[in-house]
Amino acid sequence: MKMKIALASIFLAGTLLVGCGSSDLDKLEGNWNDGEGNGFVFYSPNSEKDTFGDTKMITDGEEQNASYEWHESSQQIVIITTDGWGDTIYGTFDYEFLSDTELELTMTGYKDSVVETDNYGGDPVVFVKE
C-alpha cells in the first residue's frame, strides 16, 4: 500500500511539474532593446501574485523610470510613466513572444490628461533580450 501511495505521489508531482512552465511574466523580466537605442528593462514583480512592477523605459538611449501592468488574458502590457510636465502617461502595447529572446510590441493605446485612444495604430517593433 505504501508503494502505491509513493508511486501516486511521484506521478502527481511529475504531472504538476510538467504543467508548470514559465509564464510570459517570467519571460518578460530582463533587458530588451530594438537595436536603435530604445528598449525596456522589466523587473520582476514585488510578490509572486503581482502582475505589475517597475521598469525603465529607454528612448534614444535616455532612461526614464516607469512601471508596468501585465495583462496575460488580453496579451497586453501597459507602461505608465510621466512626461516633462509631470502628467501621467499610459501606453498600451499588444505583446507577442516570438521566441524566448524576441518580444514584439505594438502600441495600441495612449492616454494622458488630454488625449485617450484605444486605436493608436502603432507599428510592431521587435525587441531582443540582452
Side-chain angles (χ1 to χ4, degrees):
M1 183 67 169
K2 286 184 182 181
M3 185 63 150
K4 286 183 180 180
I5 293 173
L7 286 173
S9 297
I10 291 169
F11 177 75
L12 180 60
T15 303
L16 292 173
L17 287 174
V18 168
C20 291
S22 66
S23 71
D24 285 352
L25 187 56
D26 293 332
K27 291 182 199 175
L28 186 64
E29 184 180 346
N31 299 337
W32 298 88
N33 74 72
D34 68 355
E36 298 180 14
N38 304 304
F40 298 95
V41 179
F42 290 102
Y43 300 101
S44 63
N46 294 332
S47 93
E48 286 184 29
K49 295 180 182 182
D50 287 345
T51 57
F52 55 89
D54 294 326
T55 186
K56 286 194 187 290
M57 187 171 67
I58 304 163
T59 307
D60 295 327
E62 298 293 321
E63 290 186 5
Q64 181 176 358
N65 290 329
S67 60
Y68 68 90
E69 297 173 357
W70 173 70
H71 303 274
E72 184 176 26
S73 61
S74 62
Q75 294 288 122
Q76 292 186 322
I77 300 169
V78 178
I79 304 293
I80 305 155
T81 189
T82 56
D83 64 13
W85 295 281
D87 195 11
T88 301
I89 298 171
Y90 301 84
T92 303
F93 297 83
D94 288 349
Y95 76 86
E96 180 181 353
F97 283 98
L98 304 176
S99 71
D100 286 343
T101 59
E102 291 183 315
L103 170 64
E104 181 179 84
L105 294 177
T106 304
M107 190 168 188
T108 57
Y110 177 89
K111 177 182 174 185
D112 64 20
S113 64
V114 179
V115 177
E116 180 173 358
T117 180
D118 289 333
N119 190 19
Y120 188 81
D123 293 325
V125 177
V126 175
F127 294 85
V128 176
K129 192 171 195 175
E130 297 178 357

